[in-house]
Amino acid sequence: MQHKTQLTLPFLLSQVLLLVFAEDLECIPGFQQKVFHIEQPSEFTEDQPILNLVFDDCKGNDKLNFEVSNPDFKVEPNGSLVALKNISEAGRALFIHARSAQAEDMAEVLIVGGKDNHGSLKEIFKIEDGNLGILRQKRAIVATAILIPENQRPPFPRVVGRVIDSDGTEGSKFRLSGKGVDQEPKGAFKINENTGEISVTRSLDREAISTYQLQVEITDVSGKSIEGPVLLDIIVIDQNDNRPIFREGPYVGHVGGSPTGSTVMRMMAFDADDPGTDNALLRYNILKQTPDKPSPNMFFIDPEKGDIVTVVSPALLDRETMENPKYELIIEAKDMAGLDVGLTGTATATIVIDDKNDHPPEFTKKEFHATVKEGVTGVIVNVTVEDRDDPATGAWRAVYTIINGNPGQSFEIHTNPKTNEGMLSVVKPLDYEISAFHTLLIKVENEDPLVPDIAYGPSSTATVQITVLDVNEGPVFHPDPMMVTKQENIPIGSVVLTVVATDPDTLQHQTIRYSVYKDPAGWLEINPTNGTIFTTAVLDRESPYVHNNVYTALFLAIDSGNPPATGTGTLQITLEDVNDNAPAIYPTLAKVCDDAKELRVVVLGASDKDLHPNTDPFKFELSKQSGPDKVWKITKINNTHAQVILPQNLKKANYNIPILVTDSGKPPLTNNTELKVQVCSCKKSKMDCSAADALHISMILILLFSLFSLFCL
């Protein structure tokens, strides 16, 4: 079978130009043709030449060696590309790397099928139409596209191409500009201003910049442009210089009880090389599985998608049968479609075998026993279960329910979160005299539902037998509190109430004695045998021990048990008011200016400790006045207030005015209080009462002296 090299029209034009200007070009190291594409045959025949490659390092090709990306092909020393065996499919492309003692280069063979004849340079390197520049001619400048492999090794600078001035004007020079020359990255390329040779000054990185568009001009001796500018495209050929990397870790997947072929997770790697070439075409593989039991091949990874799937029976993924319910897979991503020459990157995938609720909880015993004293609350017994599912998961955590024997809701059961035991508690005190035994039926379930085909069995229920112990309980007052209403000031020795306390221990036939426990005012006593309460002092509603008309005392009822038990009862006496408090006036001192134009001296108010109707309306009166004090008058303002009036101005002095105030009780009570009025000197809004005090003292002394003289006669 014969194979023909399929050459595109742009490529043929570039070859013609190279031949036309061959005499003007020096030797350029590398492949003389870098890109080929051939039609996919029905089969590549073993040892049958496919095409010829020409490599020249311009130094004799010492130690020349070829490497092919596909190990099923090789390049003979004479440059013939041949298959090592009969091959029907070789992929989309072959990459041939040539290296000698002086130079190295990369060629690419694109394999297209039938009429699908793609693979021109502009398609291979993804250059937009009109940008490739295989043959650019504007006026006298001829600039062909230059292809440069990335990552070239020194020495530099290295001649990579040449532009032609077809006119060859005497004294003219070439000038190169653009990104990579006088724009960042500056200095990557330069041009020989006399010959037009293009040189690269350092290694290029396609992943940083894949193409450069430079401008070539011809200038005269003064530097003025006389031709151009013409675009010169420099295309960086990708090399497989980036390893695949996993950027999204950590990678953790979960699986449990899933059918064979279930997807666990997806592993995705990234390769910075050209995605349109095999340099970035990744294939995935599992390098290692830890642990390797019960099977060394528990999982499979889709080589193209990176999906990890289960390949064993769900029975082998049962968490309860595993020593370590976690697998670690070393995943390898290899570019070059997984060929041996591809670069690799690895990552660890952790797969956790999740528990499924395939084991119902079971009580460790069918019957539990507990003993509790009557009247006591709290936890009385812990019921225990076994569950083979994963601890601390909803498939293991127990939920307990009392399903029978708890009509009075005296019991509750809760789960101990640490031990998973059921804590059975008494929440309402039990009474031995009512029932000495209780039988509870308890069931246990998990927080999570059981998997299909698994059900709770007889072992998921248990019985708890509870024995109640008799305790000597204290007597109980009926009712409690005990309430009674009495008038205050009832005679000492009056009966207030006869209390009744009963002993809950009806089977013990005990006697009860009574005593006073708390009597804040000391007003009461109780008959120890019959419980009759009587007064030992006068009940006073106005006492500080009475709050809101209620007096509270506590009494004890003590049975004859060994040891005796005590009960406490509360007595609340509501005291009815009696008119036993006379009203009082306020204030009892008033001051007035001697030249006051306002003759109203003071407004008096009255208060009474009793309750209505034993209080207001109050009656205000002046008691008998003698001498000059008869000048005062009093008038009522309202039910609780009156005002004292001075009809004329008085001299500076102190005056005592007797005031009578009477409440509305039946019978009414009257209080006689002296109101002291000081007549003071007032100047410039300042009141001076010292003269009134002195005058008053002098009058007293004169009176005392007169009396003394009278007795001495």
Side-chain angles (χ1 to χ4, degrees):
M1 178 184 294
Q2 294 182 348
H3 302 280
K4 296 181 180 179
T5 302
Q6 302 295 319
L7 302 178
T8 61
L9 179 58
F11 187 82
L12 290 174
L13 290 174
S14 65
Q15 295 301 301
V16 171
L17 285 172
L18 287 173
L19 291 175
V20 170
F21 301 109
E23 295 180 357
D24 296 324
L25 296 176
E26 295 181 2
C27 178
I28 299 176
F31 282 106
Q32 302 307 300
Q33 179 178 340
K34 299 180 185 295
V35 179
F36 302 83
H37 66 282
I38 63 175
E39 184 178 344
Q40 169 70 50
S42 60
E43 185 178 61
F44 291 100
T45 306
E46 181 179 357
D47 294 331
Q48 178 68 41
I50 300 171
L51 56 82
N52 289 324
L53 298 126
V54 179
F55 179 87
D56 188 357
D57 66 1
C58 303
K59 299 291 185 179
N61 287 347
D62 184 32
K63 297 181 180 179
L64 177 61
N65 180 50
F66 295 96
E67 294 178 353
V68 184
S69 61
N70 190 326
D72 293 329
F73 295 86
K74 73 174 183 177
V75 178
E76 299 287 1
N78 63 2
S80 296
L81 176 66
V82 298
L84 296 178
K85 60 181 180 180
N86 295 337
I87 301 172
S88 59
E89 175 60 49
R92 295 184 298 173
L94 299 175
F95 296 89
I96 297 94
H97 181 231
R99 177 182 296 173
S100 71
Q102 303 297 328
E104 64 176 323
D105 200 0
M106 179 79 74
E108 183 176 11
V109 179
L110 300 177
I111 304 172
V112 297
K115 297 180 180 179
D116 188 15
N117 199 11
H118 297 294
S120 66
L121 286 177
K122 67 178 182 180
E123 293 172 331
I124 296 169
F125 297 102
K126 297 180 175 58
I127 305 301
E128 296 180 1
D129 291 342
N131 289 339
L132 186 58
I134 294 298
L135 175 59
R136 296 190 185 275
Q137 184 169 358
K138 183 177 181 181
R139 300 183 180 91
I141 302 175
V142 178
T144 60
I146 299 175
L147 310 181
I148 304 176
E150 65 173 333
N151 303 324
Q152 285 184 320
R153 297 178 180 178
F156 293 106
R158 177 180 295 186
V159 177
V160 292
R162 183 178 179 184
V163 293
I164 306 300
D165 179 8
S166 59
D167 290 345
T169 305
E170 184 177 354
S172 63
K173 296 180 181 297
F174 292 96
R175 182 165 63 193
L176 189 64
S177 62
K179 182 176 69 174
V181 182
D182 54 356
Q183 301 174 23
E184 293 295 339
K186 295 180 179 180
F189 306 97
K190 64 181 183 178
I191 190 170
N192 186 311
E193 62 180 13
N194 297 317
T195 65
E197 289 179 342
I198 306 295
S199 300
V200 62
T201 63
R202 55 179 178 260
S203 178
L204 304 179
D205 184 0
R206 189 207 66 85
E207 285 69 44
I209 302 176
S210 59
T211 62
Y212 296 83
Q213 286 193 333
L214 308 182
Q215 292 182 330
V216 181
E217 296 177 273
I218 298 176
T219 66
D220 58 18
V221 292
S222 65
K224 180 180 179 182
S225 177
I226 58 176
E227 292 289 345
V230 171
L231 291 179
L232 171 63
D233 291 317
I234 296 182
I235 301 168
V236 184
I237 302 175
D238 185 42
Q239 288 189 334
N240 192 20
D241 58 344
N242 289 279
R243 294 181 178 275
I245 57 173
F246 291 88
R247 302 191 296 188
E248 300 176 0
Y251 297 91
V252 180
H254 294 264
V255 66
S258 303
T260 303
S262 297
T263 299
V264 180
M265 59 192 299
R266 171 169 289 187
M267 303 289 291
M268 293 291 292
F270 169 76
D271 194 311
D273 288 318
D274 186 354
T277 68
D278 285 354
N279 294 341
L281 184 59
L282 305 183
R283 293 294 182 263
Y284 299 92
N285 182 40
I286 298 176
L287 295 181
K288 184 180 180 181
Q289 170 189 302
T290 305
D292 59 357
K293 297 178 181 179
S295 168
N297 299 305
M298 302 284 287
F299 305 95
F300 167 79
I301 188 167
D302 187 304
E304 295 184 3
K305 297 180 181 179
D307 290 339
I308 298 176
V309 299
T310 61
V311 294
V312 295
S313 167
L316 295 180
L317 295 174
D318 187 353
R319 186 183 181 97
E320 287 76 31
T321 64
M322 297 179 173
E323 295 181 3
N324 182 15
K326 181 174 71 174
Y327 288 91
E328 289 189 349
L329 307 180
I330 305 300
I331 306 298
E332 176 191 69
K334 180 183 288 189
D335 59 22
M336 298 300 294
L339 298 178
D340 291 342
V341 295
L343 302 179
T344 62
T346 60
T348 299
T350 301
I351 299 178
V352 179
I353 309 302
D354 291 332
D355 190 30
K356 55 182 179 178
N357 196 8
D358 54 352
H359 297 285
E362 297 180 347
F363 283 100
T364 57
K365 296 187 294 186
K366 289 301 296 179
E367 187 171 280
F368 295 85
H369 296 271
T371 301
V372 60
K373 293 181 179 180
E374 65 173 333
V376 175
T377 59
V379 177
I380 59 174
V381 67
N382 290 325
V383 296
T384 55
V385 296
E386 291 180 346
D387 195 318
R388 290 183 291 167
D389 290 313
D390 181 24
T393 66
W396 176 80
R397 287 190 290 269
V399 178
Y400 298 90
T401 307
I402 302 173
I403 59 177
N404 197 10
N406 191 28
Q409 305 301 309
S410 299
F411 303 93
E412 288 183 358
I413 188 167
H414 301 281
T415 305
N416 186 320
K418 295 182 178 180
T419 64
N420 214 32
E421 296 176 346
M423 301 182 296
L424 181 63
S425 303
V426 175
V427 294
K428 293 182 181 179
L430 303 177
D431 191 339
Y432 172 84
E433 285 71 30
I434 296 177
S435 177
F437 299 96
H438 297 269
T439 300
L440 303 180
L441 184 61
I442 298 176
K443 74 173 181 178
V444 61
E445 297 176 330
N446 289 129
E447 288 184 0
D448 292 347
L450 295 173
V451 298
D453 302 328
I454 301 294
Y456 294 102
S459 297
S460 295
T461 58
T463 301
V464 181
Q465 299 289 351
I466 302 167
T467 301
V468 183
L469 302 179
D470 189 23
V471 175
N472 185 22
E473 301 171 87
V476 179
F477 284 89
H478 302 283
D480 190 27
M482 301 160 284
M483 291 180 287
V484 65
T485 300
K486 295 291 181 181
Q487 275 193 345
E488 64 175 335
N489 301 333
I490 61 176
I492 296 174
S494 298
V495 174
V496 177
L497 179 71
T498 298
V499 300
V500 177
T502 60
D503 192 343
D505 301 306
T506 56
L507 302 179
Q508 298 184 22
H509 305 290
Q510 299 179 126
T511 59
I512 296 176
R513 294 183 62 81
Y514 300 94
S515 65
V516 177
Y517 180 40
K518 288 185 179 180
D519 179 18
W523 291 343
L524 305 172
E525 189 56 79
I526 188 170
N527 186 302
T529 304
N530 61 20
T532 299
I533 299 173
F534 53 90
T535 62
T536 59
V538 175
L539 306 183
D540 184 7
R541 190 198 65 82
E542 292 76 31
S543 168
Y545 298 106
V546 177
H547 302 284
N548 296 324
N549 304 323
V550 176
Y551 178 71
T552 301
L554 302 179
F555 296 88
L556 298 179
I558 307 168
D559 66 17
S560 58
N562 186 20
T566 301
T568 303
T570 301
L571 172 63
Q572 294 179 339
I573 305 175
T574 300
L575 295 175
E576 294 180 338
D577 186 43
V578 173
N579 192 21
D580 56 350
N581 291 278
I585 66 168
Y586 59 90
T588 58
L589 174 64
K591 296 180 181 181
V592 63
C593 293
D594 55 356
D595 58 349
K597 297 179 180 180
E598 175 60 60
L599 299 181
R600 183 176 60 188
V601 176
V602 65
V603 174
L604 297 178
S607 61
D608 196 319
K609 294 181 180 179
D610 292 319
L611 299 177
H612 190 76
N614 296 322
T615 56
D616 61 273
F618 298 114
K619 179 181 179 182
F620 296 89
E621 300 175 279
L622 287 174
S623 185
K624 293 181 179 181
Q625 303 181 68
S626 62
D629 291 346
K630 292 183 178 181
V631 298
W632 305 97
K633 290 185 178 181
I634 190 168
T635 60
K636 181 178 179 181
I637 298 176
N638 54 32
N639 289 342
T640 58
H641 290 79
Q643 62 181 355
V644 176
I645 299 175
L646 176 64
Q648 62 188 33
N649 292 334
L650 295 178
K651 60 184 178 180
K652 302 180 185 67
N654 287 338
Y655 300 89
N656 293 321
I657 306 170
I659 305 295
L660 297 178
V661 57
T662 305
D663 63 23
S664 298
K666 294 182 179 180
L669 295 180
T670 300
N671 185 14
N672 189 348
T673 303
E674 281 193 347
L675 171 66
K676 181 179 180 180
V677 178
Q678 290 182 332
V679 179
C680 306
S681 175
C682 299
K683 294 181 179 179
K684 296 181 179 180
S685 302
K686 292 184 178 180
M687 180 176 286
D688 182 8
C689 299
S690 57
D693 292 335
L695 178 62
H696 187 69
I697 293 172
S698 299
M699 293 296 294
I700 293 175
L701 290 176
I702 293 172
L703 179 61
L704 289 175
F705 180 77
S706 300
L707 291 174
F708 179 75
S709 300
L710 181 63
F711 283 110
C712 291
L713 291 176

